[in-house]
Amino acid sequence: MYTGRLIRNIRMGIKTLLLHKLRSALTMLGVVFGVGSVIAMLSVGEGASQQALEQIRKLGSTNILIHSTRPTDEQTDGQRRRISIFGLHYDDDLRIRESFPDVLRTVPVKQIPMEGRLGSRSLDLRIVATTSDWFDLVPRRIIAGRTLNASDDDQRRNVVVLTEHGARRLLATASTVGETIRLGGNAFRVVGIIRNEEAVGGAQIPDSRIDAYIPLEVGKERFGDIILRRSAGQTERELVELHSIIVEVRSVDAVERTAEAIERMLSTWHPRGDYEMNVPLALLRQAEEQQRIWNWTLGSVAGISLLVGGIGIMNIMLASVTERTREIGIRRAIGARKRQIVAQFLIETVVLAALGGLIGILLGPLLAVVIREFSGIPTIVPAYAVILSVGISMVVGIVFGLYPAARAANLDPIQALRHE
Amino acid sequence: MTRLLNPPEAEPATSQPAPGAAIELDDVRKVYLMGNERVNALAGVTLRIPRAGYWAIMGPSGSGKSTMLNLLGCLDRPTSGRYLLAGQDVSRLDDDQLSGIRLQKLGFVFQSFNLIAQLSVQENIELPLQYLGWEPGRAKDRAAELASLVGLADRLNHRPRELSGGQQQRVAIARSLANDPEVILADEPTGNLDSVTSRQIMELLTRLHGEGKTIILVTHERDIAAYSRTQLHMKDGLVDSIEGEQ
Ligand SMILES: Nc1ncnc2c1ncn2[C@@H]1O[C@H](COP(=O)(O)OP(=O)(O)OP(=O)(O)O)[C@@H](O)[C@H]1O
Ligand SMILES: [Mg+2]
């Protein structure tokens, strides 16, 4: 009975709206674009967040990354030293591994710039000397062959794993696996080729521009700790034992605690502050927080356009109430109660808003696709955005319909009948 | 001509004609405040209109005819005094209750027809039934019956603007009958019509009176008032004289 009347009222409302098709369509447009932009904006936010989070997750959320940095005092004191000594030590690696119960293992990383030769080609390569654990902590896709393994470390084999980047520079292909390249005069057998990962803002991934990997002990033995850097015609010598240490922590809960403890320990051994720590988990948290703010910002901007849409509806409904004053008077004279008049006008605005919302829901993802195509920003339409905008458009209809409807209902029937 | 004024479910109520007054006014006043000025639109009217009465209210412009009809029609409340409609005191009811009274017991016919432009003839006639919560099928049947009663059976799907003034007024009368009202109130129902059409409308109202309806109309014209059984003359918000049946 009640729903029957509601359906009749809705049909009646639609019929009334259809009397002024253009006006109704234009009124609806505000909500269409409001809802559409809410969905599109939230999709942009969601897409960006998924991308950022995914990249940070690749760093490993249970990892702590420590990098050697050139201390600032050395750069500013003006005098040219014959050799710069800074950075993490082999002992730091040992201490971190031994002193913290939550540390599962560490991966020491040494960077060696070295000339490499394959056949007649010769190139300056960036080589990383590390242990086989590196490939567990920072998984990389194998293109051919294999990665370093524990026996390469133990037996100090002269083996090298090329990155795709390095392989391309050497003009080598997957079939290079098994061949020999020369690194600084030593012969190394190519055992595999892996894919590089791109760097993510803030967190430097150890291999973003690395060409080759060799076992740490081999690197130490063959090339020592002193690096020659040539820049602007000058040769500079650097003594850095380890360039990075990747620390794997037992669980996500222990990451921040352990990072603080390591920081405390390192700061006593390195008063010059010649290292820096990156905690992907903290970055993740930070990124999530940033994302939240970003989502709110985008959502609010879109929400404002929805608000404008709502005001548009209210404006038109107020005009409609004035225009239909006589009709309201007639209905009231016949016996319609105030709340029935309210219902009639409210249904019209809600129908407008809901229909606008529905079209907006179709438009939003379309807009998201267009944004993706033209800007390259990844977009993901989250389900909550759709549900949210359905809800919002209904609320917009009710909120902005209520005042015009109340105004219609509160007209004095006698005055209303006399109108015009 | 079929008798159509009593819808099936109302039959038991109207089959035993209750004696007494359709309308009783006891010292009813209506004061409008215009700034600091008080306008006594009704200055104390005491009146009794019996059931099945056929009354015409007359008087010069500004004498309070419309004010009186609006009060009788429960579109307004008296400033003071008592109004009994079919024995029920309606002078202190709230807005919702007055709406209920209008819906159940009253029918209105206006000078300017007051049909809803976007609705068809049928939908206009059905309007009170919608608010009464009638099931659509039944309402449609009743609308068709009423349309044929006023001679517009073939115009059910027309819009008001496609009808002549007289036809529109007949639709309005059909609509006023839909809820089988106690009283039909008509404020200058022929005011916008030519004399031939006016005569048709008055004949229709007279026929309804013949079928037992209480009819109260406001008019300026003597020959329109001549259709009624009782003529009430107003002056300065007061009843000046009453002629005819009482
Ligand atoms: N809403 C109002 N506010 C103030 N004064 C009003 C209002 N309605 C009516 N009046 C005054 O009440 C008096 C009676 O008005 P009413 O409309 O009842 O006259 P009427 O007899 O119907 O006149 P007419 O024949 O011109 O229709 C007039 O003086 C009018 O100015
Ligand atoms: Mg009048």
Side-chain angles (χ1 to χ4, degrees), chain B residues 128-149:
Chain B
L129 304 177
Q130 274 191 27
Y131 287 116
L132 281 166
W134 277 40
E135 178 264 315
R138 259 178 82 222
K140 190 177 171 182
D141 291 346
R142 174 130 176 100
E145 287 171 22
L146 289 166
S148 68
L149 176 80

Side-chain angles (χ1 to χ4, degrees), chain B:
Chain B
M1 178 69 60
T2 42
R3 229 187 102 98
L4 287 155
L5 299 184
N6 306 318
E9 88 281 10
E11 218 111 52
T14 44
S15 58
Q16 33 178 310
I23 282 167
E24 282 180 276
L25 300 181
D26 184 10
D27 193 28
V28 165
R29 289 161 195 272
K30 183 71 196 179
V31 181
Y32 289 112
L33 285 173
M34 297 288 285
N36 289 331
E37 215 180 314
R38 294 161 61 88
V39 180
N40 288 307
L42 288 182
V45 174
T46 302
L47 190 65
R48 185 176 181 281
I49 299 177
R51 287 211 170 158
Y54 189 5
W55 286 48
I57 302 174
M58 305 189 69
S61 186
S63 58
K65 305 182 293 294
S66 294
T67 304
M68 171 101 116
L69 209 71
N70 289 337
L71 275 177
L72 295 181
C74 293
L75 287 166
D76 208 351
R77 269 173 298 222
T79 312
S80 68
R82 207 160 69 109
Y83 170 21
L84 299 185
L85 175 63
Q88 183 185 359
D89 188 347
V90 296
S91 36
R92 299 284 170 267
L93 297 185
D94 66 22
D95 192 88
D96 269 5
Q97 291 168 319
L98 286 180
S99 299
I101 298 284
R102 292 197 296 271
L103 186 58
Q104 306 280 347
K105 302 193 168 166
L106 299 171
F108 289 92
V109 179
F110 304 93
Q111 177 174 0
S112 49
F113 324 135
N114 277 342
L115 300 177
I116 295 178
Q118 70 264 31
L119 300 184
S120 68
V121 165
Q122 179 204 320
E123 289 164 331
N124 266 290
I125 298 175
E126 273 180 24
L127 208 56
L129 304 177
Q130 274 191 27
Y131 287 116
L132 281 166
W134 277 40
E135 178 264 315
R138 259 178 82 222
K140 190 177 171 182
D141 291 346
R142 174 130 176 100
E145 287 171 22
L146 289 166
S148 68
L149 176 80
V150 298
L152 291 170
D154 52 344
R155 299 296 162 92
L156 275 173
N157 295 315
H158 288 229
R159 305 277 143 179
R161 68 171 173 282
E162 296 160 358
L163 302 178
S164 71
Q167 287 170 328
Q168 287 188 50
Q169 195 60 303
R170 281 189 274 157
V171 174
I173 292 171
R175 180 181 66 190
S176 77
L177 291 169
N179 60 344
D180 189 31
E182 297 272 345
V183 180
I184 293 174
L185 300 158
D187 197 346
E188 304 192 39
T190 60
N192 286 8
L193 300 173
D194 62 41
S195 56
V196 178
T197 323
S198 295
R199 203 178 311 131
Q200 289 171 354
I201 292 299
M202 290 318 294
E203 277 161 8
L204 179 55
L205 288 176
T206 305
R207 208 174 75 219
L208 294 174
H209 166 248
E211 296 190 8
K213 289 285 167 209
T214 307
I215 293 172
I216 302 168
L217 62 97
V218 168
T219 183
H220 282 113
E221 294 161 71
R222 295 219 153 264
D223 48 344
I224 294 297
Y227 283 90
S228 68
R229 297 293 174 84
T230 313
Q231 292 82 40
L232 182 149
H233 294 271
M234 294 194 64
K235 200 178 172 189
D236 300 331
L238 290 167
V239 175
D240 192 43
S241 65
I242 299 176
E243 299 168 54
E245 283 179 16
Q246 284 201 46

Side-chain angles (χ1 to χ4, degrees), chain A residues 30-68:
Chain A
V31 178
V32 170
F33 284 113
V35 166
S37 58
V38 165
I39 293 179
M41 290 298 107
L42 291 177
S43 303
V44 169
E46 185 75 9
S49 110
Q50 292 293 325
Q51 194 186 38
L53 299 185
E54 179 56 28
Q55 283 176 338
I56 291 168
R57 251 181 237 116
K58 274 190 193 152
L59 292 175
S61 42
T62 52
N63 293 352
I64 297 166
L65 311 176
I66 311 166
H67 301 293
S68 295

Side-chain angles (χ1 to χ4, degrees), chain A residues 295-315:
Chain A
N295 274 354
W296 272 105
T297 314
L298 286 179
S300 312
V301 169
I304 288 169
S305 65
L306 199 53
L307 191 77
V308 172
I311 293 170
I313 288 195
M314 181 150 89
N315 188 21

Side-chain angles (χ1 to χ4, degrees), chain A residues 157-363:
Chain A
R157 288 193 190 121
N158 278 8
V159 293
V160 59
V161 171
L162 294 178
T163 64
E164 205 180 16
H165 178 65
R168 209 176 283 130
R169 292 183 65 206
L170 279 168
L171 287 180
T173 59
S175 60
T176 313
V177 172
E179 289 213 34
T180 300
I181 63 171
R182 300 192 74 81
L183 299 174
N186 298 293
F188 281 75
R189 192 161 53 84
V190 178
V191 293
I193 298 176
I194 60 163
R195 162 153 296 169
N196 293 73
E197 289 289 345
E198 290 302 314
V200 197
Q204 227 191 332
I205 298 184
D207 78 340
S208 55
R209 294 182 54 202
I210 294 305
D211 300 307
Y213 292 90
I214 59 175
L216 177 66
E217 292 305 320
V218 175
K220 266 193 276 212
E221 214 171 83
R222 304 278 179 215
F223 306 116
D225 296 331
I226 295 173
I227 300 165
L228 291 180
R229 278 196 198 283
R230 290 182 198 91
S231 58
Q234 284 181 314
T235 306
E236 209 188 335
R237 293 199 300 161
E238 263 178 29
L239 195 158
V240 179
E241 290 188 1
L242 285 175
H243 289 82
S244 310
I245 301 172
I246 305 173
V247 183
E248 189 189 17
V249 181
R250 192 178 308 281
S251 68
V252 168
D253 304 333
V255 168
E256 273 147 339
R257 185 171 68 225
T258 307
E260 276 166 32
I262 292 174
E263 168 80 58
R264 266 197 303 280
M265 188 205 79
L266 283 179
S267 65
T268 63
W269 290 92
H270 294 267
R272 288 192 299 164
D274 52 351
Y275 68 92
E276 106 192 350
M277 290 184 65
N278 279 322
V279 186
L281 183 69
L283 288 174
L284 190 73
R285 297 252 163 87
Q286 207 179 320
E288 279 169 348
E289 177 59 21
Q290 253 165 16
Q291 205 49 56
R292 228 172 48 81
I293 296 167
W294 177 235
N295 274 354
W296 272 105
T297 314
L298 286 179
S300 312
V301 169
I304 288 169
S305 65
L306 199 53
L307 191 77
V308 172
I311 293 170
I313 288 195
M314 181 150 89
N315 188 21
I316 292 296
M317 287 316 289
L318 283 174
S320 171
V321 167
T322 307
E323 198 173 273
R324 286 154 69 190
T325 300
R326 185 68 87 95
E327 175 192 333
I328 295 161
I330 297 167
R331 288 178 182 273
R332 292 284 279 128
I334 282 170
R337 287 157 200 248
K338 282 186 178 183
R339 78 177 86 97
Q340 287 170 315
I341 301 292
V342 168
Q344 183 193 342
F345 279 86
L346 211 51
I347 282 168
E348 278 180 36
T349 49
V350 171
V351 165
L352 262 186
L355 209 63
L358 223 65
I359 298 173
I361 285 168
L362 300 177
L363 180 77

